[in-house]
Amino acid sequence: MTTERPTADVSKTPIVVDYTSRDFYSIREELIARVKDRVSDWYGDDPADFGLALIEAFAYMGDITAYYIDRIANEATLLTATQRESVLNLARSYGYNPSGYQAATTTVRFSNSSSSSVTVPAGTEVAGVVVEGETVQQVIFTTKTAATVTANGTASVEAFHGENVAVSNPADPLIVGDIAGEVIGFGEGTPNQTFKLSQNQVVDGTVEIYVENGDSYGAWDYTLHLTDYGPNDAVYTTYTDSDNYVYVVFGDGVSGVIPPKTSTVKARYVVGGGVIGNIPLNTLVSLYYVPGLTSSQVSALAQNITVTNTELGGGGLEPESIETIKELAPQAFSALNRAVTLTDFASLALQTYSVGKAKAVGQSGTSVTLYVAPRRTDTETDPYPLYDDTNTTLTVEWSGTDGLKADVVSALQDKTLIGTTLTVLPPVYVPVSITVQYSKQAQYTPTQVESEIRALINAYYSYQYVSFGQVIYPEELEFLLRYTPGITNVRVTEMYRTGDAAARNVLLASNEELFSIIASGSTSGITVNADSTDADIASLTTNLGTLIPAFVSEFYTYGITVATGTTAVQITPTASDIAGTTVTVTVGSTTISKTGSYYSIPTSTTTTTAVISTLAEDKVTRKTYTLTITKA
């Protein structure tokens, strides 16, 4: 006789899954509850129970799985993505190509100590060193044009940060038609061939591609979108990965021609860029490379030709941050690569990565003025980007052949409607003076509090955070400063355009103006004063009687004796800090008003007590003096 094994009485109630229970403990409790429904005499509270251990293993795996599901979902949208690779890919789907390294520019001056004229060719490289923390790094700048330096004279030219790989990858003189440049690959005759450049600090916009064609090399054209071209167009595009390596992509025979099979593909590009190129004055001090000269010839030339940079390096930037890409990619999508509205002009200007601020103003139906200012990092201290230290003369970062103005004009010229005139102008910087008065808690030193005040103003009003047409209220600044550690009271007593009369004003910038309140790491324009804590009375005089004891500010109780028929006594308390201290005189519950320089105390009774209360400028420190007037 066969006995069947009894089966568990499985509930016919449908399983209800709480999809919000995604962490370890929630999943664990859900599983324990489910098993309890199936096994009535199991409680799930014994740590040594193998069943409980198994449930916790499932809960652990469920927690990890839920985490990765969430992470994958987050990486699918631009606003929630956190991985650079995801953000780069999503930005490209918006039609936005994030920018890479931007090269700083400066003016280089050559000095000739010889008795004959010397021509320094374009492409000459000059070098210097910069110190970052404890690291010493070499920086190389390349001149844009030739410079003829007269005997015992000087000549200045523009230079950009970086070195062309063509210098380190010269043409092979034994190969007819060869050109200088890095070999990045060979044509395979297949669609969408992709090649990776060997170095990952490529200055944005400097990549040039040459493809072997018979016994010579032909230059191919860069395009943002291969789909804009046909099967016979020699074009390529590029993209950058999360490690800042640049990839060159060719067409598929439908959108862009395929490079010929076995053809050699070469690239020329500049290696450099980044904030390290924002060098101080007189950093570039040596000739590094001169086209057409050997190293020994360069050394000989350096005996007569010296070099220095007469401007700060400006405009060097790191590749776009995740935050900047998230901000600019949707703007690129909304502008759709054409400038129609004023917002379009500003959005497209901001896609020129060296532009940090932009504002477009309509002068008429067919005339637009675009004000642009450069992008800067939090660590840079230049108070007037694009201008010299005096805020009067524009530098080559703006007016150079590859300066900011030229970049913006070039970026917008094919996106502006026919018949519309575009004028691109630099910002007008308006220095601002601010005076802050504060009182502090006793446990803080003035140095601590004042340092925190300046740091807080810097965090919210340095160049990074001001904008065209901005309005700044004193009350807004006071609200911000109340968060300063150690502050008990704070007032903005003065806020005005430097050069105007000192006053507490609302700052209102016009369309072209940017307020220069405080440069990063600087304290210019900011005056911080501690409120006085002096509540002492320096002297106390009366028109009748003799003060007993003689007045000393550290003693608080005094008396005088006057004649029986006296109806009033005039007292004059003078504060040590006359301007900051508030003095109040009361008799009983009556406050005595000041008459001229004194207070008149009525003496209608035999004994009258006047209470003199002081409140220091900090609105915290108080002192009380009493004067008893007795009729004899």
Side-chain angles (χ1 to χ4, degrees), residues 367-390:
S367 178
V368 174
T369 298
L370 181 63
Y371 299 101
V372 294
R375 190 178 300 277
R376 286 292 188 266
T377 65
D378 288 328
T379 58
E380 293 178 76
T381 59
D382 180 7
Y384 311 118
L386 298 179
Y387 289 83
D388 63 5
D389 290 341
T390 64

Side-chain angles (χ1 to χ4, degrees), residues 441-464:
Q441 298 172 8
Q443 65 269 33
Y444 288 83
T445 67
T447 300
Q448 288 174 318
V449 174
E450 292 176 17
S451 176
E452 290 289 346
I453 287 174
R454 288 191 170 92
L456 201 58
I457 295 175
N458 182 63
Y460 284 86
Y461 292 103
S462 60
Y463 173 78
Q464 284 286 82

Side-chain angles (χ1 to χ4, degrees), residues 3-145:
T3 302
E4 294 183 358
R5 181 185 297 273
T7 58
D9 181 16
V10 180
S11 172
K12 302 298 191 294
T13 304
I15 298 175
V16 178
V17 178
D18 182 0
Y19 290 101
T20 63
S21 298
R22 300 167 64 83
D23 62 281
F24 172 81
Y25 291 102
S26 297
I27 297 172
R28 178 181 182 274
E29 294 307 312
E30 291 277 349
L31 290 173
I32 289 174
R34 182 59 185 163
V35 174
K36 281 184 177 181
D37 287 344
R38 299 281 297 273
V39 183
S40 59
D41 58 348
W42 188 79
Y43 299 99
D45 56 3
D46 182 1
D49 185 355
F50 176 76
L52 183 60
L54 191 60
I55 281 177
E56 289 180 344
F58 279 118
Y60 173 76
M61 293 304 301
D63 191 349
I64 292 177
T65 303
Y67 169 79
Y68 282 111
I69 290 173
D70 289 343
R71 294 298 305 120
I72 292 171
N74 285 343
E75 296 304 308
T77 65
L78 188 62
L79 291 179
T80 58
T82 60
Q83 301 301 305
R84 185 170 182 84
E85 191 70 27
S86 302
V87 173
L88 291 172
N89 291 334
L90 289 166
R92 285 193 288 271
S93 72
Y94 277 72
Y96 180 71
N97 191 24
S99 296
Y101 288 95
Q102 307 295 306
T105 56
T106 189
T107 297
V108 170
R109 183 180 65 205
F110 294 101
S111 299
N112 182 8
S113 61
S114 71
S115 58
S116 58
S117 178
V118 175
T119 298
V120 181
T124 294
E125 297 177 359
V126 294
V129 296
V130 296
V131 179
E132 287 193 335
E134 298 181 355
T135 304
V136 177
Q137 296 190 51
Q138 184 183 54
V139 289
I140 296 173
F141 276 67
T142 302
T143 60
K144 296 181 180 180
T145 57

Side-chain angles (χ1 to χ4, degrees), residues 25 153 181 184 220 304 316 394 414 439 622:
Y25 291 102
I184 61 173
W220 287 40
N304 298 318
L394 286 163
D414 61 344
S439 57
R622 300 174 182 271

Side-chain angles (χ1 to χ4, degrees), residues 18-19 146 179 213 238 248 336 340 435:
D18 182 0
Y19 290 101
I179 63 168
N213 185 14
T238 61
V248 177
L336 295 177
V340 178
T435 300

Side-chain angles (χ1 to χ4, degrees), residues 99-432:
S99 296
Y101 288 95
Q102 307 295 306
T105 56
T106 189
T107 297
V108 170
R109 183 180 65 205
F110 294 101
S111 299
N112 182 8
S113 61
S114 71
S115 58
S116 58
S117 178
V118 175
T119 298
V120 181
T124 294
E125 297 177 359
V126 294
V129 296
V130 296
V131 179
E132 287 193 335
E134 298 181 355
T135 304
V136 177
Q137 296 190 51
Q138 184 183 54
V139 289
I140 296 173
F141 276 67
T142 302
T143 60
K144 296 181 180 180
T145 57
T148 299
V149 194
T150 58
N152 298 306
T154 63
S156 296
V157 293
E158 295 176 37
F160 61 88
H161 176 212
E163 178 183 13
N164 200 309
V165 298
V167 173
S168 53
N169 293 272
D172 188 340
L174 301 179
I175 301 177
V176 176
D178 194 22
I179 63 168
E182 175 186 303
V183 176
I184 61 173
F186 302 92
E188 297 178 352
T190 57
N192 303 123
Q193 267 197 270
T194 302
F195 302 104
K196 178 181 177 182
L197 303 185
S198 65
Q199 303 196 52
N200 73 339
Q201 196 170 345
V202 178
V203 175
D204 206 31
T206 64
V207 177
E208 300 174 2
I209 298 299
Y210 297 85
V211 178
E212 185 182 16
N213 185 14
D215 58 358
S216 65
Y217 281 83
W220 287 40
D221 296 323
Y222 168 80
T223 178
L224 183 60
H225 304 292
L226 289 172
T227 52
D228 292 339
Y229 290 83
N232 299 315
D233 294 316
V235 293
Y236 68 94
T237 190
T238 61
Y239 71 88
T240 306
D241 67 12
S242 57
D243 294 321
N244 296 317
Y245 281 98
V246 175
Y247 293 78
V248 177
V249 183
F250 290 98
D252 57 4
V254 176
S255 299
V257 68
I258 298 173
K261 195 171 184 178
T262 71
S263 60
T264 301
V265 181
K266 285 193 172 186
R268 292 177 178 172
Y269 55 92
V270 173
V271 180
V275 296
I276 193 175
N278 299 326
I279 55 175
L281 295 173
N282 304 318
T283 298
L284 304 174
V285 294
S286 62
L287 288 172
Y288 184 77
Y289 167 80
V290 178
L293 299 185
T294 64
S295 57
S296 58
Q297 290 172 325
V298 171
S299 298
L301 181 64
Q303 299 299 313
N304 298 318
I305 299 295
T306 57
V307 62
T308 190
N309 57 296
T310 57
E311 290 183 353
L312 299 170
L317 293 169
E318 303 298 305
E320 280 190 63
S321 65
I322 289 176
E323 292 73 21
T324 304
I325 296 171
K326 287 183 177 183
E327 175 189 353
L328 297 181
Q331 294 182 26
F333 184 75
S334 64
L336 295 177
N337 222 30
R338 81 286 182 272
V340 178
T341 67
L342 294 176
T343 301
D344 291 340
F345 280 96
S347 296
L348 291 169
L350 288 170
Q351 290 178 51
T352 303
Y353 183 50
S354 51
V355 174
K357 309 173 194 298
K359 185 176 182 66
V361 179
Q363 304 299 330
S364 67
T366 58
S367 178
V368 174
T369 298
L370 181 63
Y371 299 101
V372 294
R375 190 178 300 277
R376 286 292 188 266
T377 65
D378 288 328
T379 58
E380 293 178 76
T381 59
D382 180 7
Y384 311 118
L386 298 179
Y387 289 83
D388 63 5
D389 290 341
T390 64
N391 192 26
T392 55
T393 305
L394 286 163
T395 65
V396 294
E397 186 186 351
W398 170 260
S399 55
T401 54
D402 294 322
L404 188 63
K405 179 180 180 179
D407 288 346
V408 174
V409 170
S410 175
L412 288 172
Q413 65 182 357
D414 61 344
K415 302 175 180 65
T416 304
L417 294 177
I418 295 175
T420 299
T421 302
L422 175 64
T423 303
V424 180
L425 296 176
V428 174
Y429 292 107
V430 179
V432 172

